[in-house]
Amino acid sequence: MNLLDLPVGFDDPIAALLGFHRRIERQLAILGQLPGNLEARGIDAHSTADAAAILDFFSGPLAIHHADEEALMPILEMRIASAAERDEARALRHRLESEHREMDRTWRGLRRPLEGIAEGMHRNLPADLVQYFRACQSTHISLEEAGLHRTATRCLLASDRAALERGMHARRMRKYRFQ
Ligand SMILES: [Fe+2]
Ligand SMILES: [Fe+2]
């Protein structure tokens, strides 16, 4: 984990959050290839390196990304003027938060075999669980990009953006300090 999961000097926390989705997709693509690579080639340097990179990413920066989003959503709700839209935003927040928990649960099932593979041991990495994790992540990303971006662009104040940016930096500094 390092500070590199945010662009240096980023000045738009929403763009930084959504930009992070591209990194998630890259890691998901590597994860998606791993069961096939293991089946074809067994454990080799490539697979162990991929498993280690996936572990680093999904155990660290992703959890912080979820925390960033969970800080953003209540602020968005507060800024929406129409009661009906606010209710919609609240329902979306509940769904996204529950998906974060579901993805965390699924990740726990993948972490153990990946740790073994990263250490060069033969472990069964369940392809169906990998597929499920990838599908959850990609549906979730689409939902966030459709539901959060537009509202954030329209409703957030400059002071909200500044507060979000401070929170995002603080979460990363905290993680960095305690490593
Ligand atoms: Fe999310
Ligand atoms: Fe996200």
Side-chain angles (χ1 to χ4, degrees):
M1 169 67 197
N2 56 42
L3 296 176
L4 297 177
D5 64 332
L6 282 181
V8 175
F10 77 97
D11 56 5
D12 181 348
I14 305 307
L17 272 182
L18 297 177
F20 189 80
H21 289 164
R22 304 291 81 79
R23 290 191 58 202
I24 299 177
E25 287 163 349
R26 285 199 290 277
Q27 294 298 323
L28 289 173
I30 297 170
L31 175 64
Q33 288 167 357
L34 195 50
N37 290 347
L38 288 166
E39 203 178 306
R41 303 198 306 256
I43 296 278
D44 62 6
H46 194 132
S47 303
T48 57
D50 282 351
I54 293 164
L55 273 168
D56 262 7
F57 182 81
F58 286 108
S59 302
L62 186 72
I64 296 183
H65 174 74
H66 288 176
D68 292 338
E69 291 172 338
E70 290 179 14
L72 160 69
M73 291 187 279
I75 300 177
L76 271 186
E77 262 173 58
M78 206 168 63
R79 296 294 175 218
I80 295 173
S82 128
E85 250 191 89
R86 206 164 42 243
D87 287 347
E88 245 177 67
R90 187 168 303 124
L92 176 65
R93 170 160 70 93
H94 290 155
R95 174 168 174 185
L96 294 174
E97 287 173 351
S98 117
E99 289 180 359
H100 285 170
R101 291 191 293 275
E102 172 63 10
M103 291 186 290
D104 286 349
R105 267 193 299 276
T106 311
W107 170 246
R108 285 198 288 275
L110 293 170
R111 195 175 51 202
R112 186 67 66 82
L114 284 167
E115 284 169 349
I117 295 162
E119 287 172 15
M121 292 184 282
H122 289 276
R123 291 286 180 271
N124 174 39
L125 182 63
D128 54 345
L129 201 56
V130 167
Q131 277 314 106
Y132 178 66
F133 185 67
R134 293 180 68 204
C136 290
Q137 292 276 1
S138 76
T139 310
H140 183 81
I141 285 174
S142 308
L143 197 60
E144 286 180 343
E145 297 196 352
L148 296 184
H149 191 207
R150 201 182 41 232
T151 318
T153 307
R154 195 162 41 93
C155 302
L156 285 185
L157 307 179
S159 57
D160 296 332
R161 288 175 184 274
L164 286 165
E165 190 183 325
R166 280 195 301 276
M168 288 165 79
H169 275 300
R171 275 185 280 281
R172 283 157 183 80
M173 290 304 291
R174 214 174 297 135
K175 174 85 183 165
Y176 188 67
R177 236 191 345 258
F178 289 114
Q179 278 206 326

